Amino acid sequence: MEYVQEGPYRFRIRREGDMRVPGVVFASAELMRDAEKSLEQVANVATLPGIVTASYAMPDVHWGYGFPIGGVAATAVDDGGVVSPGGVGFDISCGVRLLAADCDRRTLEPVLRSLMDGLGRAVPRGAGPGGLWRPGGHQLERILAGGSRYAVEEGHGEERDLWRCEDGGHVADADPGQVGARARERGTGQLGSLGSGNHFLEVQEVTEIYDERVAGAFGLAPGQVCVMIHCGSRGLGHQVCSDHVRAMDRAMARYGIAVPDRQLACTPVASPEGRAYLGAMAAAANYGRANRQLLAQAARRVLRREAGARLTLVYDVSHNLAKVETHTVDGEPRTLCVHRKGATRAFPPGHPELPEDLRAVGQPVLIPGTMGTASYVLTGVPGGDAFHSTCHGAGRVMSRHQAARTTGGPQVRARLEADGIAVRPASSRGLAEEAPEAYKDVTAVVEAGQGAGLCRKVARLVPVGVVKG
Ligand SMILES: Nc1nc2c(ncn2[C@@H]2O[C@H](COP(=O)(O)O)[C@@H](O)[C@H]2O)c(=O)[nH]1
Ligand SMILES: [Mn+2]
Ligand SMILES: [Mn+2]
């Protein structure tokens, strides 16, 4: 696929064939070499009905189901724009939650082993069933409608948590009626669990602050201990995605839509199928948010018991979601369905949707790196491109299979422990699949995002101990 470099961190894929808009990739020249493997998907997304401005790829882009992971695409709702479940992904509302502790790493050192053992025991994980809360009666319905808000109402958290969650902890317009029986069945047994592989709960230390004012508003200081949680909507979200891809695949022809890849199945946002998907997606997102709320509570209990520390929420943000938002396109405000798949919303200072205590500084953007390197906290910037979006992680360079062929779980564990990082894995194979070298250099990804004008660095964190899914 041919492309031209437009700036130090910006490449353009020329519009050709059925593409309605160009492709734009934010990357350094070096990251572009990895991104090249996904350009075909970026170009395919550019063919979707109603897409505006460009099909975007973030610096951590890699191959995904239909859409690339690290892809952003917005469609005009009032102009036949489509919604595509492949543009959100199977793990609906997969995202990151960061909590800051009222202690530093030195305080933790003497209790680190018992703390990690406690977290390892407290956090259900792995691919199968098992969770912290088995919802009974109408509780699942209320979780699907209310997300973290309902979890907090039921005693799983503090009111303050909700201010620091995207959407106040629950997506409005959820339609639990569009979540099928199999999805509910899967969801009932997994609420309050990490899932597998790439999902984790990590104890971290803040090692660098790039902007004291913004970090202070987020609640972060040098040397501080934090807990980062990465997980999503488990089997429930997966089933919602599968069910609605199937329904859209059957319906597309009726709307005269043809896509270059069946995994891009889509229908107009305003169609019955589009509305049904968005209602189910919002319900699954609420499940995902309640899931992270429950895991945060489990971490709070263990930190309090083992270290006498208290955890305060910094922020919770999804990186797999489609949202109806207003953005300016060609000088006009437009209602757009913004798909972010493996991409994080990054609202700038002053955005009306930010909570009051963050409005002056912008939205916290939470970027996990790997269990052996670093993670970052960023913030949104004025005029941020790609509908105020940025990367979501380091992004894979090796498939799970490739990574497991390259190294073994015991070697990865030994390496991490030699670096002083305590590991509590669900499986040895999973650890090999998640070896730090299976991912891009997160620092290079974040520098590219900042260089491209998508976000700004606020803090760097390093792992102290990780509970791996
Ligand atoms: N700090 C850690 N970061 C990790 C770990 N495992 C994965 N990752 C990063 O998370 C993102 C999220 O990717 P997703 O596509 O699976 O949502 C991934 O790109 C990695 O950079 C970890 O154990 N610790
Ligand atoms: Mn996920
Ligand atoms: Mn994720």
Side-chain angles (χ1 to χ4, degrees):
M1 180 109 353
E2 276 182 40
Y3 57 82
V4 291
Q5 185 157 10
E6 294 189 321
Y9 297 104
R10 189 182 172 108
F11 295 80
R12 175 174 291 257
I13 307 169
R14 232 194 3 258
R15 210 184 123 188
E16 58 181 42
D18 293 334
M19 289 169 71
R20 295 170 197 259
V21 290
V24 170
V25 183
F26 300 106
S28 60
E30 198 176 340
L31 286 169
M32 193 61 189
R33 282 199 280 278
D34 288 321
E36 274 180 0
K37 298 169 202 144
S38 319
L39 298 189
E40 183 189 328
Q41 291 195 316
V42 178
N44 285 347
V45 170
T47 68
L48 292 179
I51 188 167
V52 297
T53 317
S55 163
Y56 291 103
M58 302 297 118
D60 51 336
V61 68
H62 57 107
W63 192 266
Y65 177 88
F67 279 61
I69 295 166
V72 175
T75 57
V77 172
D78 53 7
D79 201 13
V82 293
V83 60
S84 173
V88 171
F90 282 96
D91 196 2
I92 295 169
S93 196
C94 188
V96 184
R97 175 174 281 233
L98 185 71
L99 300 116
D102 56 355
C103 68
D104 61 18
R105 184 178 183 154
R106 266 174 304 134
T107 327
L108 220 57
E109 216 59 68
V111 296
L112 189 58
R113 179 186 278 267
S114 61
L115 173 70
M116 292 310 298
D117 288 343
L119 288 171
R121 278 193 302 269
V123 176
R125 56 216 149 99
L132 292 165
W133 180 14
R134 192 174 175 85
H138 294 299
Q139 286 178 324
L140 183 62
E141 208 65 16
R142 300 190 64 181
I143 287 157
L144 295 174
S148 296
R149 175 163 296 283
Y150 177 62
V152 169
E153 279 165 22
E154 289 292 293
H156 304 284
E158 310 162 0
E159 185 65 27
R160 188 200 172 277
D161 292 344
L162 301 174
W163 316 338
R164 284 295 185 102
C165 286
E166 179 187 12
D167 310 311
H170 86 288
V171 188
D173 304 330
D175 185 354
Q178 301 297 342
V179 176
R182 178 72 188 122
R184 286 160 182 266
E185 204 181 300
R186 293 177 72 177
T188 301
Q190 296 183 326
L191 186 62
S193 66
L194 269 186
S196 53
N198 47 335
H199 303 110
F200 63 87
L201 184 150
E202 195 167 279
V203 178
Q204 303 175 332
E205 179 194 5
V206 178
T207 54
E208 232 163 312
I209 295 286
Y210 305 101
D211 185 323
E212 261 180 49
R213 186 181 72 95
V214 179
F218 289 177
L220 296 171
Q224 189 169 16
V225 167
C226 288
V227 172
M228 182 177 274
I229 300 171
H230 171 229
C231 65
S233 52
R234 305 289 334 270
L236 183 139
H238 198 285
Q239 194 66 44
V240 163
C241 180
S242 306
D243 292 348
H244 288 263
V245 164
R246 210 174 312 117
M248 286 192 178
D249 190 43
R250 282 195 300 259
M252 262 190 309
R254 263 193 285 122
Y255 298 101
I257 297 173
V259 287
D261 174 354
R262 279 184 78 174
Q263 295 182 354
L264 294 173
C266 57
T267 62
V269 173
S271 67
E273 294 82 3
R275 285 202 305 271
Y277 170 68
L278 283 171
M281 183 213 69
N286 284 335
Y287 181 96
R289 278 115 190 257
N291 196 29
R292 290 196 287 277
Q293 182 68 37
L294 293 170
L295 291 170
Q297 284 302 98
R300 277 180 167 144
R301 285 191 291 273
V302 178
L303 259 95
R304 166 70 59 151
R305 188 182 69 226
E306 302 296 336
R310 186 182 144 69
L311 290 174
T312 305
L313 187 59
V314 174
Y315 204 62
D316 180 299
V317 65
S318 304
H319 49 231
N320 284 358
L321 212 59
K323 286 186 133 175
V324 175
E325 296 173 0
T326 304
H327 292 273
T328 304
V329 180
D330 299 330
E332 297 292 329
R334 299 289 299 271
T335 306
L336 304 177
C337 179
V338 184
H339 300 71
R340 295 187 183 91
K341 178 190 189 174
T344 315
R345 189 191 76 172
F347 279 163
H351 196 283
E353 276 187 44
L354 290 176
E356 230 166 79
D357 62 340
L358 295 178
R359 203 157 299 156
V361 289
Q363 181 208 304
V365 175
L366 310 174
I367 307 297
T370 77
M371 59 185 164
T373 53
S375 296
Y376 285 87
V377 176
L378 318 173
T379 188
V381 292
D385 213 331
F387 313 103
H388 288 297
S389 312
T390 189
C391 56
H392 86 305
R396 293 195 82 94
V397 272
M398 281 187 218
S399 69
R400 289 176 207 287
H401 190 67
Q402 259 178 308
R405 262 198 334 239
T406 313
T407 187
Q411 287 97 310
V412 174
R413 185 173 190 152
R415 253 195 290 149
L416 292 170
E417 300 209 320
D419 285 343
I421 302 163
V423 195
R424 299 293 181 272
S427 80
S428 182
R429 159 106 194 174
L431 210 54
E433 289 175 352
E434 289 296 311
E437 60 271 26
Y439 288 95
K440 300 182 198 190
D441 173 358
V442 67
T443 302
V445 166
V446 161
E447 291 294 346
Q450 179 167 286
L454 302 174
C455 54
R456 213 157 48 76
K457 288 192 296 181
V458 175
R460 176 178 186 268
L461 304 97
V462 298
V464 174
V466 58
V467 176
K468 269 303 247 184

